Amino acid sequence: MISFAAAAILFLSNFGLCGVVGDFLRSVQLGIFGGIGYIAPVILFAGTAFYLSNQGNPRATFKLASFLLALVSLCGFLQLVFGLKTGEGMTLIDIYLEASVSGRGGGLIGGLLAEGLAAVIGVIGAYLVIIVLLIISAVCITEKSFVNVVKMGSGKAYRHARKNMDIRREIRAERQEERRRLREEQKLRGVNLDATNLFDHQPEEYEKPEPLNFVDAPLEKETIPVMADDMSEDIDIQASRLSAVTAAEAARPNPADEFRGSISPVQEAEEDSVPFEPDWKDEPLMEELEESSIYMKKDNRTLKEMEVVEEDIYPEAERDTFSIPEEPKQVVTASGKVIETDTEALQKKLVKKREEAAKEGDLSVTQEIRQKQDIVKKEYQFPPLTLLKKGKAAVFSDREYRETAIKLQKTLQNFGVGVTVTNISCGPSVTRYELHPEQGVKVSKIVSLADDIKLSLAAADIRIEAPIPGKSAVGIEVPNKENNVVYLRDILEADNFRNHSSKIAFAVGKDIGGQVVVTDIAKMPHLLIAGATGSGKSVCINTLIMSIIYKANPEDVKLIMVDPKVVELSVYNGIPHLLLPVVTDPKKASGALNWAVAEMTDRYNKFAQYNVREIKGYNAKVESIKDIDDENKPQKMPQIIIIIDELADLMMVAPGEVEDSICRLAQLARAAGIHLVIATQRPSVNVITGLIKANVPSRVAFAVSSGVDSRTIIDMNGAEKLLGKGDMLFYPAGYPKPMRVQGAFVSDTEVSRVVDFLTEQGMTPNYDKNVESMIASAPSGGEMKGGGNDRDEYFLQAGKFIIEKDKASIGMLQRMFKIGFNRAARIMDQLAEAGVVGEEEGTKPRKVLMSMEEFEEMLEQGY
């Protein structure tokens, strides 16, 4: 209120409404600020109110300082433009007096800035520095990049120019259609002029110094200057390329000569000039190439002569594109005819050469084809971020948070706990209030009041972090009334992700303070994701895969996806990062993990051969090798990420094989560049076993139903307090406590758009045949555990042993194979079901019903 009263008095003084004191205050304001002094009282009140309402907010203080810098810079600018200069015999006192009387210039502040800069770097330099200061202040206040504004303006100019170019192309196409229509009218009137003959003769006649026989000299003078220099060069080249054709056709009678007698020279000049002059001005003569190819097909001698001419004009590097008439370089003509591109034509040539080389066994041609294939191979194009949805800026109510903090503080004081709220962190889904307890207050006492705090705040649930790692405070996390969705595009556009050095950076989401969280999968090095159904696990996996698609080249990172649920990851079939198609059969997944173990062992053998310790050192050593030929040179190793969407299903089918493979990979695969990402919706001890937990140090816990499940995932309570829909406890290796993060969201529609973009660009996966063959050799889903053909591994040996002994008893199987009674009885029941032995007859031994030949025949028939 004091600042408002002072600002009102100062403002009224500028208009002479406050008497003698007002006149004095007016002269002081104008003398200090110059012309800005008229609005200085309003700026003073606004700045004071802004500062008082944002106390303790460093962001607001920074904006206020930027505004003051802009005010000083504006005073300096006004002094440079309208004020008196010291070089004219004026001092700073004179500038102050002049401004206090007339309000000209920037007053004392503007004179200090402007004249100081002008004395050091000159007037032009002072203008430049002050303008830069104004731009910097505007950027700091508005938080909008000046470069982006310039980019938007230049983008509009570019789009406008491109639109004009499209319009010109449409006009050019209309002219082309008009020329063709005129040719048709000429033919209908009896003027049978062949376009090819006219094209053949036209360039040669322009090379002659004398005018044409049927065109007047003034017409020639008017036509030649219109052509551009580069177009005249094109006509010369076309004339040289078609010289052989004209020589072959010279003996033929020209149809145009027969009708020149019946057409007047003026009419002939007008009709001839219509189709040709726009061709030379607008675009290359594509019809010459098309119609000259007709003559090449008609006359074999012309084809040979054409090749001789081309050898003189074009170098060997371009001869593949132009010298073969059966496969000419083709484009989209003005008539709308779609013709194959150069790349497609080159690929057809390569296929043809490959077939010939396979028949003849020519190794040199095969090597040449391989080199050209490397040239034709398309580079990976990162999908544009415009395919993803952009989030809106979050709006926070400062008043509401302050009221909640006061209510929280009073609630604890009512129970005899003295605390002070030191900071409020507003996240996308929860807000954390940091409480500093007074001396003698136990942390456990605050934790025990969790239900009372929940009742006082009327919150759905709260989570207490006591204490916050690295701070002498207790954090109470309260859900927001409105959740703000964190979209994946916002994370991918952040500097943390774009400037991350790792190729396998993972855009996790935003933490409780609204900061972007990006981590490196290589440093995890393996990740376990667990939570109840619908808590956000599949979206988290989609976020991880999309992060790799937007960050890594397929040559650097490969993916193996195991999806027993079939529908979650199948959409990614076809992306170039895949090492093999998405595995949906749980039994095949065991084969994929076994291949990964074999690949890890092979990589370690190569590390030992080259005396390196990890994949980065190996790839660096491979790049430094230059003496070995390309065929014998070792290839760089890509990083491999194995993603398992549902571990519980695999553990039901093949628990022993899956657990052993996961444990071996988790123990040793980090240095080999192989990383595991395991997800499950059943966080029980028989799925997430102790061995898996010990070897997978990084965890992500989504919302679970009980504290027991939370302890199974992250070894502590807390996940049962989460809100769901991407709310997670992120606990990577090396963190003292899990960090609460709101995971990034990407919809199925966005994923489909990105996959469709990669497919449309022609970037298809190059599946590894060794991996596919190893997985194909694994048993199919019909032989799963619990299926109809589930037999013991001793079934075959037990059958042969019983037939040889001609005696069937459970005890004999126990002694022979050193197994328990239950397993031996189960094997005997399986043999009885297959018809090898008879049914049980009390205490009597079972009868043997098959001979060895019958038993082997039964096995051959696949029973």
Side-chain angles (χ1 to χ4, degrees), residues 739-770:
M739 176 174 58
R740 192 165 186 176
V741 176
Q742 178 65 37
F745 175 76
V746 56
S747 63
D748 296 337
T749 305
E750 296 173 76
V751 173
S752 300
R753 284 202 295 258
V754 172
V755 174
D756 292 341
F757 172 81
L758 296 177
T759 306
E760 290 171 0
Q761 297 299 320
M763 290 172 281
T764 55
N766 186 14
Y767 295 137
D768 194 330
K769 295 182 180 179
N770 296 329

CSV table of all heavy atoms in Angstrom, one decimal, residues 739-770:
chain,number,residue,atom,x,y,z
A,739,MET,N,13.7,-42.7,-6.3
A,739,MET,CA,13.2,-41.3,-6.7
A,739,MET,C,11.9,-41.4,-7.3
A,739,MET,O,11.6,-42.3,-8.2
A,739,MET,CB,14.2,-40.7,-7.7
A,739,MET,CG,13.8,-39.3,-8.2
A,739,MET,SD,15.1,-38.5,-9.2
A,739,MET,CE,15.3,-39.7,-10.5
A,740,ARG,N,11.0,-40.6,-6.9
A,740,ARG,CA,9.6,-40.6,-7.5
A,740,ARG,C,9.6,-39.8,-8.8
A,740,ARG,O,10.0,-38.7,-8.8
A,740,ARG,CB,8.6,-40.0,-6.5
A,740,ARG,CG,7.1,-40.3,-6.9
A,740,ARG,CD,6.2,-40.0,-5.7
A,740,ARG,NE,4.8,-40.4,-6.0
A,740,ARG,CZ,3.8,-40.3,-5.2
A,740,ARG,NH1,4.1,-39.9,-3.9
A,740,ARG,NH2,2.6,-40.7,-5.5
A,741,VAL,N,9.1,-40.5,-9.8
A,741,VAL,CA,9.1,-39.9,-11.2
A,741,VAL,C,7.7,-40.2,-11.8
A,741,VAL,O,7.1,-41.2,-11.6
A,741,VAL,CB,10.2,-40.6,-12.0
A,741,VAL,CG1,10.2,-40.1,-13.5
A,741,VAL,CG2,11.6,-40.3,-11.4
A,742,GLN,N,7.2,-39.2,-12.5
A,742,GLN,CA,6.1,-39.4,-13.4
A,742,GLN,C,6.5,-39.8,-14.8
A,742,GLN,O,7.2,-39.0,-15.5
A,742,GLN,CB,5.2,-38.1,-13.4
A,742,GLN,CG,4.0,-38.2,-14.3
A,742,GLN,CD,3.0,-39.2,-13.8
A,742,GLN,OE1,2.8,-39.3,-12.6
A,742,GLN,NE2,2.3,-39.9,-14.7
A,743,GLY,N,6.3,-41.0,-15.1
A,743,GLY,CA,6.8,-41.5,-16.4
A,743,GLY,C,6.2,-40.8,-17.6
A,743,GLY,O,5.0,-40.4,-17.6
A,744,ALA,N,7.0,-40.8,-18.7
A,744,ALA,CA,6.5,-40.2,-19.9
A,744,ALA,C,5.4,-41.1,-20.6
A,744,ALA,O,5.5,-42.3,-20.5
A,744,ALA,CB,7.7,-40.0,-20.9
A,745,PHE,N,4.5,-40.4,-21.3
A,745,PHE,CA,3.4,-41.1,-21.9
A,745,PHE,C,3.5,-41.1,-23.4
A,745,PHE,O,3.8,-40.0,-24.0
A,745,PHE,CB,2.1,-40.5,-21.5
A,745,PHE,CG,0.9,-41.1,-22.2
A,745,PHE,CD1,0.4,-42.4,-21.8
A,745,PHE,CD2,0.2,-40.5,-23.2
A,745,PHE,CE1,-0.7,-42.9,-22.5
A,745,PHE,CE2,-0.8,-41.0,-23.8
A,745,PHE,CZ,-1.3,-42.3,-23.5
A,746,VAL,N,3.4,-42.2,-24.1
A,746,VAL,CA,3.3,-42.2,-25.5
A,746,VAL,C,2.2,-43.2,-25.9
A,746,VAL,O,2.1,-44.3,-25.4
A,746,VAL,CB,4.7,-42.7,-26.1
A,746,VAL,CG1,5.1,-44.1,-25.6
A,746,VAL,CG2,4.6,-42.8,-27.6
A,747,SER,N,1.3,-42.7,-26.7
A,747,SER,CA,0.1,-43.5,-27.1
A,747,SER,C,0.4,-44.5,-28.2
A,747,SER,O,1.4,-44.4,-28.9
A,747,SER,CB,-1.0,-42.6,-27.5
A,747,SER,OG,-0.7,-41.9,-28.7
A,748,ASP,N,-0.5,-45.5,-28.4
A,748,ASP,CA,-0.4,-46.5,-29.4
A,748,ASP,C,-0.4,-45.8,-30.8
A,748,ASP,O,0.3,-46.3,-31.8
A,748,ASP,CB,-1.5,-47.5,-29.3
A,748,ASP,CG,-1.4,-48.3,-28.0
A,748,ASP,OD1,-0.3,-48.4,-27.5
A,748,ASP,OD2,-2.4,-48.9,-27.6
A,749,THR,N,-1.2,-44.7,-31.0
A,749,THR,CA,-1.3,-44.0,-32.2
A,749,THR,C,0.1,-43.4,-32.6
A,749,THR,O,0.5,-43.5,-33.8
A,749,THR,CB,-2.3,-42.9,-32.2
A,749,THR,OG1,-3.6,-43.5,-31.8
A,749,THR,CG2,-2.5,-42.3,-33.5
A,750,GLU,N,0.7,-42.8,-31.6
A,750,GLU,CA,2.1,-42.2,-31.9
A,750,GLU,C,3.1,-43.3,-32.3
A,750,GLU,O,3.9,-43.1,-33.2
A,750,GLU,CB,2.5,-41.4,-30.7
A,750,GLU,CG,1.6,-40.3,-30.3
A,750,GLU,CD,2.0,-39.6,-29.0
A,750,GLU,OE1,3.0,-38.9,-28.9
A,750,GLU,OE2,1.3,-39.9,-28.0
A,751,VAL,N,3.0,-44.4,-31.6
A,751,VAL,CA,4.0,-45.5,-31.9
A,751,VAL,C,3.7,-46.0,-33.3
A,751,VAL,O,4.7,-46.2,-34.1
A,751,VAL,CB,3.8,-46.7,-30.9
A,751,VAL,CG1,4.6,-47.9,-31.3
A,751,VAL,CG2,4.2,-46.2,-29.5
A,752,SER,N,2.5,-46.2,-33.7
A,752,SER,CA,2.1,-46.6,-35.1
A,752,SER,C,2.6,-45.6,-36.1
A,752,SER,O,3.1,-46.0,-37.1
A,752,SER,CB,0.6,-46.8,-35.2
A,752,SER,OG,0.2,-47.8,-34.3
A,753,ARG,N,2.5,-44.3,-35.8
A,753,ARG,CA,3.0,-43.3,-36.8
A,753,ARG,C,4.5,-43.4,-37.0
A,753,ARG,O,5.0,-43.3,-38.1
A,753,ARG,CB,2.6,-41.9,-36.3
A,753,ARG,CG,1.1,-41.6,-36.5
A,753,ARG,CD,0.9,-40.1,-36.5
A,753,ARG,NE,1.2,-39.5,-35.2
A,753,ARG,CZ,0.3,-39.1,-34.4
A,753,ARG,NH1,-1.0,-39.3,-34.6
A,753,ARG,NH2,0.7,-38.5,-33.2
A,754,VAL,N,5.2,-43.6,-35.9
A,754,VAL,CA,6.7,-43.7,-36.0
A,754,VAL,C,7.1,-44.9,-36.8
A,754,VAL,O,8.0,-44.9,-37.6
A,754,VAL,CB,7.3,-43.7,-34.6
A,754,VAL,CG1,8.8,-44.0,-34.7
A,754,VAL,CG2,7.1,-42.3,-33.9
A,755,VAL,N,6.4,-46.1,-36.5
A,755,VAL,CA,6.8,-47.3,-37.2
A,755,VAL,C,6.4,-47.2,-38.6
A,755,VAL,O,7.2,-47.6,-39.5
A,755,VAL,CB,6.0,-48.5,-36.5
A,755,VAL,CG1,6.3,-49.8,-37.3
A,755,VAL,CG2,6.5,-48.7,-35.1
A,756,ASP,N,5.3,-46.6,-38.9
A,756,ASP,CA,4.9,-46.4,-40.4
A,756,ASP,C,5.9,-45.5,-41.1
A,756,ASP,O,6.2,-45.7,-42.3
A,756,ASP,CB,3.5,-45.8,-40.4
A,756,ASP,CG,2.4,-46.8,-40.0
A,756,ASP,OD1,2.7,-48.0,-39.9
A,756,ASP,OD2,1.3,-46.3,-39.6
A,757,PHE,N,6.4,-44.5,-40.4
A,757,PHE,CA,7.4,-43.6,-41.0
A,757,PHE,C,8.6,-44.4,-41.4
A,757,PHE,O,9.2,-44.2,-42.5
A,757,PHE,CB,7.7,-42.5,-40.1
A,757,PHE,CG,8.9,-41.6,-40.5
A,757,PHE,CD1,8.7,-40.6,-41.4
A,757,PHE,CD2,10.2,-41.8,-40.0
A,757,PHE,CE1,9.8,-39.8,-41.9
A,757,PHE,CE2,11.2,-41.1,-40.5
A,757,PHE,CZ,11.0,-40.1,-41.4
A,758,LEU,N,9.1,-45.2,-40.5
A,758,LEU,CA,10.3,-46.0,-40.8
A,758,LEU,C,10.0,-47.0,-41.9
A,758,LEU,O,10.9,-47.2,-42.8
A,758,LEU,CB,10.8,-46.8,-39.5
A,758,LEU,CG,11.2,-45.9,-38.3
A,758,LEU,CD1,11.5,-46.8,-37.1
A,758,LEU,CD2,12.4,-45.0,-38.7
A,759,THR,N,8.9,-47.5,-41.9
A,759,THR,CA,8.5,-48.5,-43.0
A,759,THR,C,8.4,-47.8,-44.4
A,759,THR,O,8.9,-48.3,-45.4
A,759,THR,CB,7.2,-49.2,-42.7
A,759,THR,OG1,7.3,-49.8,-41.4
A,759,THR,CG2,6.9,-50.3,-43.7
A,760,GLU,N,7.8,-46.6,-44.4
A,760,GLU,CA,7.7,-45.8,-45.6
A,760,GLU,C,9.0,-45.4,-46.2
A,760,GLU,O,9.2,-45.2,-47.4
A,760,GLU,CB,6.8,-44.6,-45.4
A,760,GLU,CG,5.3,-45.0,-45.2
A,760,GLU,CD,4.5,-43.8,-44.8
A,760,GLU,OE1,5.1,-42.7,-44.6
A,760,GLU,OE2,3.3,-44.0,-44.5
A,761,GLN,N,10.0,-45.2,-45.3
A,761,GLN,CA,11.3,-44.7,-45.8
A,761,GLN,C,12.1,-45.9,-46.3
A,761,GLN,O,13.2,-45.7,-46.8
A,761,GLN,CB,12.1,-44.1,-44.6
A,761,GLN,CG,11.5,-42.8,-44.1
A,761,GLN,CD,11.4,-41.7,-45.1
A,761,GLN,OE1,12.3,-41.6,-45.9
A,761,GLN,NE2,10.3,-41.0,-45.1
A,762,GLY,N,11.6,-47.1,-46.3
A,762,GLY,CA,12.3,-48.3,-46.8
A,762,GLY,C,13.3,-48.8,-45.9
A,762,GLY,O,14.2,-49.6,-46.3
A,763,MET,N,13.3,-48.5,-44.6
A,763,MET,CA,14.3,-49.0,-43.6
A,763,MET,C,13.7,-50.2,-43.0
A,763,MET,O,13.0,-50.2,-41.9
A,763,MET,CB,14.6,-47.9,-42.6
A,763,MET,CG,15.4,-46.7,-43.2
A,763,MET,SD,15.5,-45.4,-42.0
A,763,MET,CE,13.9,-44.6,-42.2
A,764,THR,N,14.0,-51.4,-43.6
A,764,THR,CA,13.5,-52.6,-43.1
A,764,THR,C,14.6,-53.3,-42.3
A,764,THR,O,15.8,-53.1,-42.4
A,764,THR,CB,13.1,-53.6,-44.3
A,764,THR,OG1,14.2,-53.7,-45.2
A,764,THR,CG2,12.0,-53.0,-45.0
A,765,PRO,N,14.2,-54.2,-41.3
A,765,PRO,CA,15.2,-54.9,-40.5
A,765,PRO,C,16.0,-55.9,-41.3
A,765,PRO,O,15.5,-56.5,-42.2
A,765,PRO,CB,14.3,-55.5,-39.4
A,765,PRO,CG,13.0,-55.7,-40.1
A,765,PRO,CD,12.8,-54.6,-41.0
A,766,ASN,N,17.2,-56.1,-40.8
A,766,ASN,CA,18.1,-57.1,-41.4
A,766,ASN,C,18.3,-58.1,-40.3
A,766,ASN,O,19.2,-58.1,-39.5
A,766,ASN,CB,19.5,-56.4,-41.8
A,766,ASN,CG,20.4,-57.4,-42.5
A,766,ASN,OD1,19.9,-58.5,-42.9
A,766,ASN,ND2,21.7,-57.1,-42.6
A,767,TYR,N,17.4,-59.1,-40.4
A,767,TYR,CA,17.4,-60.2,-39.3
A,767,TYR,C,18.6,-61.1,-39.4
A,767,TYR,O,19.1,-61.4,-40.5
A,767,TYR,CB,16.1,-61.0,-39.4
A,767,TYR,CG,14.9,-60.3,-39.2
A,767,TYR,CD1,13.7,-60.4,-40.0
A,767,TYR,CD2,14.8,-59.3,-38.1
A,767,TYR,CE1,12.6,-59.7,-39.7
A,767,TYR,CE2,13.6,-58.7,-37.9
A,767,TYR,CZ,12.5,-58.9,-38.7
A,767,TYR,OH,11.3,-58.2,-38.5
A,768,ASP,N,19.1,-61.5,-38.3
A,768,ASP,CA,20.3,-62.3,-38.2
A,768,ASP,C,19.8,-63.8,-38.3
A,768,ASP,O,19.0,-64.3,-37.6
A,768,ASP,CB,21.0,-62.2,-36.8
A,768,ASP,CG,22.4,-62.8,-36.8
A,768,ASP,OD1,22.5,-63.8,-37.5
A,768,ASP,OD2,23.2,-62.3,-36.1
A,769,LYS,N,20.3,-64.4,-39.4
A,769,LYS,CA,19.8,-65.8,-39.7
A,769,LYS,C,20.3,-66.8,-38.6
A,769,LYS,O,19.6,-67.8,-38.3
A,769,LYS,CB,20.4,-66.2,-41.1
A,769,LYS,CG,19.8,-65.4,-42.2
A,769,LYS,CD,20.3,-65.9,-43.5
A,769,LYS,CE,19.6,-65.1,-44.7
A,769,LYS,NZ,20.1,-65.6,-46.0
A,770,ASN,N,21.5,-66.5,-38.0
A,770,ASN,CA,22.0,-67.4,-37.0
A,770,ASN,C,21.0,-67.4,-35.8
A,770,ASN,O,20.7,-68.5,-35.2
A,770,ASN,CB,23.4,-67.0,-36.5
A,770,ASN,CG,24.4,-67.2,-37.6
A,770,ASN,OD1,24.2,-68.0,-38.5
A,770,ASN,ND2,25.4,-66.3,-37.7
